[in-house]
Amino acid sequence: AQKITQTQPGMFVQEKEAVTLDCTYDTSDPSYGLFWYKQPSSGEMIFLIYQGSYDQQNATEGRYSLNFQKARKSANLVISASQLGDSAMYFCASSGSARQLTFGSGTQLTVLP
Amino acid sequence: NAGVMQNPRHLVRRRGQEARLRCSPMKGHSHVYWYRQLPEEGLKFMVYLQKENIIDESGMPKERFSAEFPKEGPSILRIQQVVRGDSAAYFCASSLRTSGSYEQYFGPGTRLTVT
């Protein structure tokens, strides 16, 4: 079984600054994946970034990077140079031997002008 | 290069009616997942299908809900005799591979409202 915990229901960040969204996970699978998705107010789920449990380096995709600390079981999302369009709900998710994703409760990010 | 398609985008049903939600995966993807998102909550897994096979339905309610992914055509999530508690956003996702890195790409969702 997988469990994802996102402890920040809401976060605020000033435009152009960096922000870190927290995610901790719990799994008994030896091999697993960690994902971040963005859900804007329009409702669609947008894939942002993926980290495999055996990947040696932290994943990066443009302004998104995943701070993967395996010993701490954390997979925080870092967004650099925040933009107004980054305002959205952000979900951390995991997968393991069962292929489906397990989602956290989400963090509502608001970027302030 | 179309993404995951879902229709309808919005569906209104009266209590007791049937709801039928369709999902066409990305081209070349043969793995389909259905998730439900209740208001103010994260997504919850319902069912995982490959062509003509249900792989994992551990998240499906035992009654009234069914899913299929036929050899030809879209995947269908069917909810019979809908109740108000079925009002939610239903997302379909597809993926390409079965092992290693396998991102799931989501459709736009179907918002079901039961009146």
Side-chain angles (χ1 to χ4, degrees):
Chain A
Q2 311 249 333
K3 184 179 179 182
I4 295 289
T5 303
Q6 294 181 254
T7 57
Q8 305 156 313
M11 287 281 286
F12 292 88
V13 64
Q14 209 67 39
E15 195 178 6
K16 300 181 184 176
E17 292 186 351
V19 62
T20 297
L21 306 184
D22 294 341
C23 172
T24 57
Y25 62 91
D26 191 14
T27 179
S28 55
D29 289 313
S31 176
Y32 51 90
L34 297 158
F35 303 77
W36 277 92
Y37 286 86
K38 173 184 177 182
Q39 187 176 43
S41 57
S42 52
E44 70 267 33
M45 293 290 290
I46 301 168
F47 166 75
L48 295 178
I49 197 166
Y50 166 84
Q51 177 84 44
S53 58
Y54 289 110
D55 292 344
Q56 295 295 321
Q57 292 188 321
N58 286 344
T60 60
E61 289 286 348
R63 294 187 298 111
Y64 304 108
S65 60
L66 200 153
N67 185 1
F68 180 46
Q69 298 188 43
K70 198 169 184 177
R72 294 187 177 183
K73 293 191 174 182
S74 73
N76 299 338
L77 176 71
V78 180
I79 305 174
S80 63
S82 297
Q83 302 172 355
L84 295 177
D86 294 335
S87 293
M89 183 72 89
Y90 289 80
F91 290 101
C92 179
S94 67
S95 64
S97 56
R99 305 300 179 196
Q100 66 267 26
L101 294 172
T102 298
F103 285 85
S105 55
T107 296
Q108 180 68 48
L109 176 67
T110 303
V111 180
L112 302 170
Chain B
N1 186 15
V4 179
M5 311 275 285
Q6 287 188 253
N7 67 82
R9 295 290 303 275
H10 299 275
L11 182 61
V12 179
R13 284 287 179 267
R14 291 200 180 103
R15 279 179 297 171
Q17 291 185 321
E18 178 180 286
R20 192 171 293 203
L21 288 60
R22 296 175 189 79
C23 169
S24 297
M26 286 180 73
K27 188 176 181 180
H29 287 194
S30 59
H31 303 265
V32 166
Y33 309 79
W34 286 93
Y35 296 85
R36 177 165 65 176
Q37 185 179 29
L38 295 171
E40 310 299 327
E41 293 188 12
L43 278 72
K44 296 284 196 300
F45 166 74
M46 298 181 76
V47 61
Y48 164 34
L49 310 107
Q50 293 179 28
K51 287 280 187 181
E52 300 184 280
N53 283 306
I54 296 175
I55 306 302
D56 183 347
E57 55 182 348
S58 58
M60 285 276 271
K62 293 286 186 279
E63 298 177 348
R64 302 188 297 107
F65 286 72
S66 63
E68 63 177 8
F69 189 16
K71 187 177 179 181
E72 300 291 338
S75 175
I76 306 286
L77 178 68
R78 186 181 291 110
I79 311 172
Q80 296 177 306
Q81 299 177 320
V82 297
V83 301
R84 288 228 171 104
D86 297 333
S87 295
Y90 292 83
F91 288 92
C92 164
S94 72
S95 70
L96 178 60
R97 288 175 282 186
T98 58
S99 62
S101 167
Y102 54 100
E103 297 92 347
Q104 292 186 18
Y105 293 90
F106 281 79
T110 294
R111 271 96 187 142
L112 172 65
T113 302
V114 179
T115 62

